[in-house]
Amino acid sequence: MKNLDTMTTEELGKLFPVYLVDYCPGWPLTFLNEKRELSVLLSFIPNLKIDHIGSTAIPGLAAKPIIDMLVQIDQDSSTEEIIRVLEAEGYHYIPRPDKPAPHMMFVKGYTVDGFQGQGFHLHIRHNGNWPELCFREYLIKHPDIASQYEQIKRELAKKYKFNREKYTEGKTSFVLSVCQKSKN
């Protein structure tokens, strides 16, 4: 029997297609509830920071109905302990050899039968000034730019419904340009 780790990119793309839904006013509360649980689970980490990132963090913006979270940890935090604790709570660790720990990725709500319940992505990194936070803040302050971003996402979702990597790659230049604007 296959598991998520042994599936090909094509199999994963068919099982978890890219689709966007209109903004849901409940997303911030869903984030806060998960943040509360994670804060307890990861209470052994000093200076833990958990932020809501991604499109579900931007009021009014259509998004994949997955809550993205940036979890920032100290340099000396035990990545092995983080993996153990989160896996015990139903998060699936996705090793990223191209981005060594602590750039770790966890997902929840993904099964061999497709999505089950609310989907979450945890991006775990050392404490720092990450572009996702600047991007989020800029789009919240500039609804016209958020609207442009939504249009790009809708076009990419149609074009790359079964290819999350291409969908994400297609957004990269826009995201980078917004991050650059946010610095000015």
Side-chain angles (χ1 to χ4, degrees), residues 158-176:
K158 285 181 196 167
K159 187 173 181 179
Y160 298 116
K161 182 177 181 176
F162 300 108
N163 190 329
R164 284 176 174 259
E165 289 77 17
K166 290 284 187 189
Y167 169 80
T168 300
E169 285 173 23
K171 300 183 300 179
T172 300
S173 65
F174 184 86
V175 171
L176 293 174

